[in-house]
Amino acid sequence: LYLQTNSKAFTAKTSCVRRRYREFVWLRRQLQKNAGLVPVPELPGKSSFFAGSTDEFIEKRRQGLQQFLEK
């Protein structure tokens, strides 16, 4: 996932980080606990037996997780 910041605390304005799917599940649960009535976006599916090639599935999930963060 690529993150961008305009904070002066960071020298690099763009960085790439690796996260496991379970870390997004944890993050979503934490957001739900504190969100009140504000809806928390859904995560993309964890796996699909008929997902096509592994590379395609991983890229599709990566895009879904990126959209989750942007929302």
Side-chain angles (χ1 to χ4, degrees), residues 35-70:
L37 298 176
V38 176
V40 177
E42 293 293 326
L43 289 170
K46 181 169 174 147
S47 66
S48 175
F49 185 73
F50 301 105
S53 80
T54 304
D55 291 341
E56 290 173 12
F57 175 73
I58 291 171
E59 178 57 20
K60 186 175 179 181
R61 183 194 287 176
R62 187 201 63 77
Q63 290 174 359
L65 293 171
Q66 184 72 43
Q67 290 172 352
F68 169 79
L69 291 176
E70 290 171 2

Side-chain angles (χ1 to χ4, degrees), residues 9-59:
F10 298 96
T11 55
K13 299 304 176 195
T14 302
S15 60
C16 179
V17 295
R18 296 180 72 134
R19 295 287 183 250
R20 306 271 318 173
Y21 186 84
R22 66 178 173 246
E23 293 176 281
F24 285 92
V25 172
W26 175 87
L27 174 61
R28 186 170 188 277
R29 285 184 186 144
Q30 297 304 309
L31 292 172
Q32 285 178 311
K33 286 180 186 177
N34 298 305
L37 298 176
V38 176
V40 177
E42 293 293 326
L43 289 170
K46 181 169 174 147
S47 66
S48 175
F49 185 73
F50 301 105
S53 80
T54 304
D55 291 341
E56 290 173 12
F57 175 73
I58 291 171
E59 178 57 20

